[in-house]
């Protein structure tokens, strides 16, 4: 659980830094940070795709995952959860829910959370989740500077999601062959 813990704590610390220390980044910094993070993610994605010998499974997984997310209407559920958290915490900031939802969806989608969680649970290798922590931390700084403290709360679904993958991988470890 080290990887999910580090990622969750990184999101909290960086969101607080973005909200209280930076208090809104100039547009030009936000733009260049987005480009740099985007380039890093493209590089990581291309590197992973080049290692993948089963491109059809990759494509099918992307299509099924996107379709399942739409079918379950995850965005609507996250918005409801964000509004509920706003009410329970007594926050009167419309950006709170927006920051929570946007950060949660961004941080929980993508292969790094899944593959990193699997690596963490199967082999104790937390490297990918640590790299994801850096990416999520930088994005948390930018998001929180503009959208507020809801970004810090996104650490909860990130921890639960990645933690569930780590624990699930630990349960199926004995059945995981190199082919699987």
């Amino acid at each position: 659980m080290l990887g999910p813990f580090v990622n969750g704590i990184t999101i909290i610390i960086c969101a607080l830094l973005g909200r209280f220390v930076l208090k809104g980044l100039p547009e030009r910094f936000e733009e260049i940070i987005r480009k740099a993070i985007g380039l890093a993610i493209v590089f990581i994605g291309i590197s992973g795709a080049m290692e993948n010998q089963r491109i059809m499974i990759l494509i099918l997984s992307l299509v099924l995952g996107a379709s399942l997310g739409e079918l379950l209407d995850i965005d609507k559920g996250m918005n409801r959860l964000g509004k509920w958290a706003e009410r329970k915490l007594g926050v009167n900031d419309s950006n709170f829910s927006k920051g929570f939802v946007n950060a949660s969806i961004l941080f929980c989608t993508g292969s790094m959370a899944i593959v990193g969680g699997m690596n963490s649970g199967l082999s104790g290798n937390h490297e990918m989740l640590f790299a994801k922590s850096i990416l999520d931390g930088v994005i948390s700084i930018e998001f929180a500077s503009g959208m507020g403290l809801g970004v810090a709360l996104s650490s909860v679904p990130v921890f639960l999601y990645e933690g569930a993958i780590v624990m699930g991988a630990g349960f199926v470890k004995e059945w995981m062959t190199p082919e699987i």
Side-chain angles (χ1 to χ4, degrees):
M1 292 296 289
L2 181 63
F5 178 77
V6 168
N7 199 5
I9 294 298
T10 300
I11 291 169
I12 292 169
I13 291 169
C14 290
L16 292 172
L17 176 70
R19 181 65 182 148
F20 294 114
V21 176
L22 298 178
K23 299 178 186 175
L25 289 171
E27 181 71 30
R28 63 191 176 105
F29 283 99
E30 287 182 15
E31 185 177 335
I32 198 69
I33 289 170
R34 271 187 246 120
K35 287 178 182 177
I37 293 296
L39 183 60
I41 291 169
V42 167
F43 173 76
I44 292 166
I46 290 173
S47 298
M50 298 301 282
E51 291 176 15
N52 189 342
Q53 301 299 314
R54 295 176 177 90
I55 297 298
M56 294 304 293
I57 293 174
L58 174 68
I59 294 168
L60 185 61
S61 297
L62 290 170
V63 170
L64 288 175
S67 298
L68 183 61
E70 282 300 314
L71 182 67
L72 296 174
D73 203 2
I74 292 173
D75 187 48
K76 182 178 178 183
M78 291 300 292
N79 277 310
R80 279 197 313 252
L81 183 59
K83 294 292 182 191
W84 177 83
E86 255 181 42
R87 285 191 309 274
K88 288 294 179 187
L89 295 172
V91 177
N92 289 332
D93 180 7
S94 63
N95 279 336
F96 182 90
S97 180
K98 181 180 175 184
F100 168 73
V101 171
N102 286 334
S104 296
I105 290 173
L106 178 64
F107 299 155
C108 289
T109 56
S111 61
M112 287 183 82
I114 297 169
V115 174
M118 294 293 289
N119 287 343
S120 185
L122 293 173
S123 65
N125 180 350
H126 311 295
E127 186 176 326
M128 187 171 293
L129 288 180
F130 291 162
K132 183 180 179 303
S133 297
I134 294 168
L135 293 170
D136 291 354
V138 172
I139 294 168
S140 292
I141 291 170
E142 180 195 343
F143 274 23
S145 73
M147 289 186 267
L149 289 179
V151 176
L153 188 61
S154 72
S155 63
V156 173
V158 169
F159 177 77
L160 294 174
Y161 177 67
E162 290 176 357
I165 294 170
V166 170
M167 292 178 72
F171 288 127
V172 299
K173 186 176 188 175
E174 63 187 62
W175 297 293
M176 296 299 284
T177 64
E179 294 78 28
I180 292 177

